[in-house]
Amino acid sequence: MGAKVSISLGEDDIAALDADVLAGRFASRSAAVQRALQLLRESELADAYAEAFGSWVDDGEAAAWDAAPDDGVA
């Protein structure tokens, strides 16, 4: 069990949260918020991977790897 926290949400957010719980998508408001936070973390991780890949390509590393034989043996 995690720690209890208090958050403030607008009426529209609360209505959407309750609708998802009532529809059976989540067991509780807490479960819905936990899933939302998980998706946020995953999204941020995907962004970090994309940024790292872009940096790798921009540095010319991709060309060096493309020039290597497929089996990794020179």
Side-chain angles (χ1 to χ4, degrees), residues 49-70:
Y49 277 122
E51 182 180 337
F53 180 77
S55 173
W56 178 73
V57 170
D58 292 343
D59 289 344
E61 290 292 321
W65 281 98
D66 288 342
D70 289 335

Side-chain angles (χ1 to χ4, degrees), residues 2-28:
K4 289 189 177 194
V5 297
S6 175
I7 61 172
S8 297
L9 298 172
E11 290 180 25
D12 290 344
D13 291 332
I14 292 172
L17 195 60
D18 288 342
D20 283 340
V21 172
L22 287 173
R25 291 185 191 98
F26 300 100
S28 65

